[in-house]
Amino acid sequence: MTEYKTMAFSNFKNVKQVIKQYPLKIRQKRFLPNVLVELPEWFMENIDFSLDTQAVGENEFFFRESFIFPFLQQTWKRHRQGLKLWSHQMLAYDDKLQGEPDYFVSSWRDEVIEKLVNIPLLAVVEAKKQDFEEGWGQCLAEMIACQKINQDDNLTVYGIVSTGLVWEFGKLETNIFTKHPLSYSISEPQKVFGNLDFIFAECEKQVENH
């Protein structure tokens, strides 16, 4: 029973399985601006080093630590006021919607709070073995958990599924899940960073207005 609870999000294998239990409208629509945001030279050197030194058959931890986390952390630096990036932190709504997302972003206030994780607004899932179908099933379940924890349908919850090399984006507004139809590659890192910067900024605005 303990193992099931810990792995509950990963029990969802695709979006269809999620909406069977939690009915939603689904649409494909562009919502990200096509904006390039420059990255520091040292950051690009680190990314290029990881790309050039990766071995055939690298495990998922290499891609998560070499690409996903650095991009998220670098974006967080630009939006640290009011936001917190969590890594493998427990997120729970009920017995079905709980587990440890790879990463998620929530509000972070310098005051006495009732609970550690407050207003989660972004869930990030690594597409293990490049399986985006399963990645989005897990991510959408996490996004629904965030929405239910927040108890405010006016708050938009964002979702990201990435192999580290390829990035996909979505958002959940009330009962509508919108998938951005384009994927982005770190062969164009400024575009990936631009999308991340936009989403973090939107989360930051929601925290400020809440």
Side-chain angles (χ1 to χ4, degrees):
M1 186 64 179
T2 302
E3 183 179 354
Y4 169 78
K5 287 188 175 183
T6 303
M7 300 298 292
F9 288 134
S10 61
N11 286 342
F12 293 94
K13 302 303 181 184
N14 52 59
V15 168
K16 289 181 181 179
Q17 185 182 355
V18 177
I19 63 173
K20 188 174 182 179
Q21 294 191 43
Y22 305 96
L24 295 170
K25 296 178 181 179
I26 299 178
R27 66 182 180 183
Q28 295 238 27
K29 183 179 179 182
R30 300 187 188 198
F31 63 87
L32 296 170
N34 190 25
V35 176
L36 303 178
V37 177
E38 291 301 316
L39 285 155
E41 185 177 344
W42 65 264
F43 183 91
M44 289 309 307
E45 288 177 356
N46 288 347
I47 294 298
D48 287 340
F49 176 80
S50 295
L51 287 169
D52 293 342
T53 57
Q54 65 177 307
V56 174
E58 286 281 8
N59 63 37
E60 63 193 48
F61 297 104
F62 173 83
F63 292 98
R64 189 186 307 165
E65 295 169 4
S66 300
F67 304 113
I68 298 178
F69 179 73
F71 270 93
L72 293 175
Q73 185 184 55
Q74 187 63 24
T75 312
W76 182 32
K77 287 180 182 180
R78 294 166 58 95
H79 303 281
R80 69 181 74 183
Q81 188 66 38
L83 293 181
K84 166 68 175 173
L85 174 64
W86 299 92
S87 174
H88 300 84
Q89 171 73 29
M90 187 67 179
L91 184 70
Y93 173 70
D94 58 19
D95 287 347
K96 292 182 179 179
L97 292 173
Q98 66 167 296
E100 293 183 2
D102 293 327
Y103 306 99
F104 68 92
V105 171
S106 74
S107 68
W108 186 251
R109 293 173 176 152
D110 186 18
E111 60 187 38
V112 177
I113 55 178
E114 294 179 355
K115 52 188 178 181
L116 186 64
V117 176
N118 190 43
I119 316 180
L121 294 168
L122 166 63
V124 183
V125 171
E126 180 184 11
K128 299 169 181 65
K129 298 181 181 179
Q130 304 183 43
D131 189 344
F132 278 91
E133 181 179 12
E134 183 170 336
W136 273 113
Q138 181 177 336
C139 189
L140 182 56
E142 293 174 8
M143 294 164 72
I144 292 171
C146 292
Q147 186 184 66
K148 291 183 178 296
I149 289 169
N150 294 337
Q151 296 181 324
D152 186 348
D153 288 347
N154 292 320
L155 290 173
T156 300
V157 176
Y158 292 89
I160 297 171
V161 179
S162 174
T163 62
L165 303 181
V166 178
W167 297 67
E168 295 187 355
F169 301 87
K171 64 178 178 177
L172 179 62
E173 299 169 293
T174 59
N175 66 334
I176 301 174
F177 170 58
T178 303
K179 175 82 162 38
H180 190 75
L182 300 178
S183 300
Y184 296 84
S185 167
I186 63 166
S187 62
E188 296 181 293
Q190 292 83 4
K191 282 191 177 182
V192 172
F193 194 48
N195 290 334
L196 290 170
D197 187 66
F198 171 79
I199 289 175
F200 272 67
E202 291 299 301
C203 291
E204 199 171 34
K205 288 176 191 174
Q206 293 189 105
V207 168
E208 291 171 354
N209 297 329
H210 195 269

